[in-house]
Amino acid sequence: MSRTQRKPRIVGVGGGVASAAAIAELRKEGFDGDITLVSAEDTVPYERPPLSKEFLLGRSGSVPVKDPSWYQQNAVELLLGVRATRLDLAARTVHLSDGSAVPYDQLLLATGVRPRALPGIDGAGVCYLRTVQDATELRDRINAARHVAVLGGGFIGCEVASAAIQLGKRATILEALPTLLYRALGPDLGQVVAGIHRDAGVDVRTGQPVTGLTRGPGGGVRIATGDGPVDADVLVVGVGTVPNQELAEQAGLPVGNGIVVDEYFATAVPGVWAVGDVVAQHLPRYGRRVRVEHHDTALRHGRAVARNMLGRRAPFGDVHWFWSDQFEHTISSAGLPSTDGPLIIRGSLEQRSFSAFSLDGERLSAVISLNRPKDVLDARKLIAREHRATADQLRDESLPLKRLAPSTATAPSAATASSAATASSAATPSAGTAPSAAGTPSATAPSAGTVPSARTAP
Amino acid sequence: METARWRETINLDDLWEGDMTAVTVDGEVVLLVNLDGTVLAYSNRCPHQASALDEGDLDGETLTCAKHLWEFNAATGCGINPDDAQLTRFGCQVGENGTIYVDIGPR
């Protein structure tokens, strides 16, 4: 290069996994312009899922998404401990809390969410959980506590109660709705989770609105409930989140329970993109906007937006997926479950090993599983591609889920080789070929779906 | 010097193309993968949090861990997502009678 030309600059605002994944993908895909990451937190982006699980148990420290040295090696400028205070979309500039300003050619908003604060529920002994700083404080408080109370029986509340019990503490969950995880799982599955917590020793108090908070004996908190006061050493509040959309909103970008983006993560202003927990994304598959707070989705948002920022039109079609660990149990889910329709159960709620499917006509639309992660993997692939499924098929444990994908193979044996298909988990483009020279059995797995999907995961 | 310690495991007849299974070799759980007739052996523990990989999914050459969806290229052991992860690979060969031998190396 004989002349220097100003390189294009991409600025990412927000220090979560979506931002980090976008930056990593930009470099991986060859973007050699300038990249600046702005984060209000004073650490490089880290994994949030362990914070309510292994981190509280002392089994894990903070796990960076990318090692701090990666940013240096990849010429990513880190502005940590700095808040973006104002966007000037006309001048393409981000103003920062330290008084400085950063110009951009393309802007990525990944400002995430914050815990919803309850009026009157604050002060000494009250903890929220979002950041590694929150988690560090909470871990110390739980370790010093005898009784941990949790306000809210959602995923955060359930995982914190699980950690508290595993650390030998008393734990109480106060939930206004009739079961735990009511909004996420619905009444029937929520009841199963409540049973798990009760069996593990958690004092689960559902249908319990909390009416106030005062200082309790011994420096703890006294929580007023409809059923009388509960005294605890620490109260963890997990009652949902609020999207950090003010920065976008004040700049005039459309918002509505999140920053509004299309399936390409584009906001209303060219060159300004948004990803992660903060976005309300219009997805044609659902015909509506969805805001999803899954770690895996944020990660995939990041990767996908990078390709769009580089000029490739890459609509987001990945199937939403999440997991939650509570005691020895794992809840996992694919798709966007609606908990008001009938659920089709494979397995047993009583045995705490099941998958609960939702059907949209003859299409599987979502699954929630307890201790059946493989079902979720199979269902996730099905949801992403063309298939037909009936309630009876989904209930039938002898029928592998992957058999529900239509096969492109037209081998004559396809219709009859059910036992062979059952034994094989082949789902490869090579399945259905003749035996190999090495003498493998003829894996004419008829069911192994190899339909090319426009929505395969990256 | 440690010499190769090949241990007999299962027969190729029991591991179809495109399939994977876990076997125990010298106390180590080993994942056997059959890609188009080529058998490879890896530690069955996901490098993320040691979850059992045989409970995941093998689709073509893509191996997905069921626990947190980490993806690997089953032909190379290299991470796809994230791309800086790596499966632990063991020596593996198939005898004339189809017996799959694995050497997990010095412990």
Side-chain angles (χ1 to χ4, degrees):
Chain A
M1 296 285 280
S2 57
R3 296 183 338 165
T4 54
Q5 194 175 0
R6 193 181 76 80
K7 287 181 171 178
R9 180 192 295 271
I10 289 176
V11 175
V13 176
V17 67
S19 200
I23 289 169
E25 192 74 9
L26 284 168
R27 284 297 187 233
K28 191 176 166 186
E29 293 293 317
F31 176 70
D32 68 350
D34 295 330
I35 300 179
T36 299
L37 174 67
V38 177
S39 174
E41 293 185 66
D42 57 8
T43 62
V44 294
Y46 54 87
E47 304 277 346
R48 277 188 218 284
L51 297 185
S52 49
K53 310 175 180 74
E54 299 88 354
F55 187 93
L56 291 183
L57 293 170
R59 293 179 191 159
S60 162
S62 180
V63 181
V65 179
K66 289 283 184 189
D67 203 68
S69 62
W70 182 91
Y71 297 90
Q72 192 173 12
Q73 287 157 12
N74 288 275
V76 175
E77 181 187 26
L78 294 172
L79 299 180
L80 304 179
V82 184
R83 201 172 287 278
T85 53
R86 188 167 66 85
L87 305 178
D88 186 336
L89 299 179
R92 296 197 167 221
T93 302
V94 182
H95 293 270
L96 305 178
S97 55
D98 63 3
S100 65
V102 190
Y104 64 81
D105 296 282
Q106 294 194 77
L107 176 66
L108 179 61
L109 299 173
T111 44
V113 298
R114 58 183 179 270
R116 180 183 300 281
L118 287 182
I121 307 294
D122 53 18
V126 177
C127 287
Y128 291 83
L129 178 54
R130 177 68 185 172
T131 66
V132 69
Q133 194 180 335
D134 296 338
T136 304
E137 183 188 337
L138 179 58
R139 186 183 60 192
D140 293 346
R141 282 178 175 274
I142 291 176
N143 281 327
R146 281 182 301 175
H147 183 197
V148 178
V150 174
L151 178 49
F155 286 109
I156 290 288
C158 286
E159 292 188 348
V160 169
S162 168
I165 290 285
Q166 290 177 75
L167 289 167
K169 313 299 179 182
R170 271 182 68 202
T172 301
I173 300 180
L174 303 164
E175 167 58 59
L177 292 169
T179 70
L180 300 182
L181 295 175
Y182 188 89
R183 284 203 180 85
L185 305 189
D188 294 346
L189 308 188
Q191 200 59 45
V192 174
V193 176
I196 286 171
H197 280 259
R198 288 195 172 107
D199 287 357
V202 179
D203 183 358
V204 178
R205 302 192 184 192
T206 51
Q208 284 290 322
V210 165
T211 53
L213 186 73
T214 52
R215 278 286 175 86
V221 291
R222 171 163 288 182
I223 306 138
T225 78
D227 204 25
V230 174
D231 289 333
D233 302 300
V234 55
L235 174 67
V236 187
V237 182
V239 292
T241 64
V242 179
N244 294 323
Q245 63 187 25
E246 292 81 359
L247 192 66
E249 189 172 14
Q250 285 156 14
L253 292 170
V255 296
N257 185 28
I259 303 172
V260 174
V261 295
D262 64 12
E263 69 264 44
Y264 305 95
F265 306 98
T267 68
V269 173
V272 180
W273 313 80
V275 285
D277 295 1
V278 76
V279 299
Q281 182 173 36
H282 179 80
L283 291 177
R285 179 192 296 177
Y286 301 109
R288 62 185 169 96
R289 287 182 203 150
V290 299
R291 190 171 74 78
V292 171
E293 297 179 16
H294 308 336
H295 170 86
D296 180 69
T297 300
L299 184 76
R300 290 170 191 277
H301 275 188
R303 289 188 200 130
V305 78
R307 295 192 273 275
N308 284 292
M309 295 176 91
L310 295 173
R312 295 164 219 167
R313 297 276 284 171
F316 188 71
D318 291 0
V319 176
H320 300 93
W321 176 88
F322 74 83
W323 87 97
S324 172
D325 296 329
Q326 296 169 33
F327 303 102
E328 72 274 31
H329 303 282
T330 295
I331 299 166
S332 52
S333 171
L336 291 178
S338 74
T339 53
D340 50 359
L343 292 175
I344 299 145
I345 304 294
R346 186 184 187 93
S348 159
L349 269 58
E350 292 72 27
Q351 302 289 319
R352 294 174 181 167
S353 172
F354 63 81
S355 293
F357 300 100
S358 305
L359 270 181
D360 177 9
E362 287 197 317
R363 273 193 67 103
L364 178 61
S365 60
V367 61
I368 299 167
S369 284
L370 181 63
N371 299 321
R372 293 197 175 202
K374 184 70 168 75
D375 279 1
V376 177
L377 272 192
D378 290 343
R380 177 173 161 268
K381 281 163 68 175
L382 273 180
I383 292 167
R385 61 180 68 163
E386 289 306 315
H387 69 276
R388 282 176 65 182
T390 65
D392 285 344
Q393 287 174 322
L394 292 171
R395 274 187 210 103
D396 180 2
E397 296 231 44
S398 68
L399 182 75
L401 291 174
K402 52 180 56 175
R403 287 208 57 201
L404 297 172
S407 175
T408 51
T410 53
S413 60
T416 54
S418 60
S419 61
T422 305
S424 171
S425 64
T428 79
S430 62
T433 56
S436 74
T440 42
S442 62
T444 49
S447 62
T450 57
V451 180
S453 168
R455 295 199 288 255
T456 47
Chain B
M1 284 292 289
E2 191 74 32
T3 53
R5 298 180 304 185
W6 293 104
R7 299 284 189 257
E8 192 174 313
T9 64
I10 59 173
N11 194 281
L12 195 53
D13 289 344
D14 300 317
L15 182 65
W16 293 25
E17 288 187 27
D19 210 350
M20 60 180 176
T21 193
V23 297
T24 302
V25 177
D26 291 344
E28 173 88 25
V29 184
V30 174
L31 180 74
L32 297 177
V33 179
N34 183 341
L35 299 177
D36 293 342
T38 302
V39 182
L40 300 104
Y42 298 101
S43 166
N44 196 44
R45 296 154 63 89
C46 180
H48 183 210
Q49 291 185 354
S51 306
L53 291 170
D54 67 312
E55 292 171 11
D57 180 60
L58 182 65
D59 188 348
E61 291 188 345
T62 302
L63 171 63
T64 305
C65 179
K67 188 75 182 177
H68 302 121
L69 301 190
W70 280 34
E71 291 175 348
F72 304 89
N73 180 327
T76 64
C78 293
I80 300 169
N81 290 315
D83 59 8
D84 50 2
Q86 180 74 44
L87 298 178
T88 302
R89 187 160 172 179
F90 298 130
C92 183
Q93 58 185 13
V94 181
E96 279 182 18
N97 61 356
T99 301
I100 301 169
Y101 294 90
V102 172
D103 177 7
I104 65 168
R107 306 305 307 279

